[in-house]
């Protein structure tokens, strides 16, 4: 745990709960997209699963890096934003390919 909290304990708890829910829901969506890819072997569904996985990872990563590894919050948010951007690009590509 970081010795320098960034906000009130109630806000930090709420953020942790929301990020955990994002991880769970994003993981379920990624799982179902990957399951559909394995069943159909359609490339587009594989890209869709990868894109949702990247977005989910990105949305959870900043706080985890800050709390667990002590990385600067700005650096964690930059990495989070890059992963979300790449994830959305992969999702957009999955909707384009046949």
């Amino acid at each position: 745990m970081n010795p320098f909290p960034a906000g009130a304990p109630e806000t930090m708890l709420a953020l942790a709960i929301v990020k955990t829910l994002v991880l769970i829901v994003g993981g379920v969506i990624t799982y179902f997209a990957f399951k559909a890819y394995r069943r159909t072997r359609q490339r587009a569904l594989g890209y869709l699963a990868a894109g949702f996985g990247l977005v989910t990872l990105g949305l959870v990563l900043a706080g985890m890096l800050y709390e667990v590894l002590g990385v600067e919050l700005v650096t964690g948010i930059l990495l989070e934003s890059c992963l979300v951007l790449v994830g959305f690009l992969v999702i957009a590509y999955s909707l384009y390919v046949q």
Side-chain angles (χ1 to χ4, degrees), residues 19-93:
K19 288 291 188 172
T20 301
L21 291 172
V22 166
L23 178 62
I24 291 168
V25 173
V28 168
I29 292 170
T30 303
Y31 169 75
F32 283 129
F34 182 71
K35 190 174 169 183
Y37 163 72
R38 282 187 26 198
R39 187 176 59 248
T40 64
R41 293 294 181 199
Q42 290 183 357
R43 259 184 2 168
L45 288 173
Y47 286 124
L48 186 68
F52 276 120
L54 286 170
V55 169
T56 301
L57 178 65
L59 289 173
V60 173
L61 195 61
M64 191 182 326
L65 288 174
Y66 175 72
E67 289 293 330
V68 176
L69 299 178
V71 173
E72 284 187 33
L73 189 58
V74 173
T75 305
I77 291 172
L78 177 63
L79 182 58
E80 170 189 26
S81 299
C82 289
L83 282 173
V84 169
L85 174 64
V86 170
F88 281 143
L89 288 171
V90 172
I91 290 170
Y93 182 72

Side-chain angles (χ1 to χ4, degrees), residues 3-25:
F4 306 108
E10 298 84 15
T11 306
M12 293 177 64
L13 178 62
L15 182 61
I17 290 170
V18 169
K19 288 291 188 172
T20 301
L21 291 172
V22 166
L23 178 62
I24 291 168
V25 173

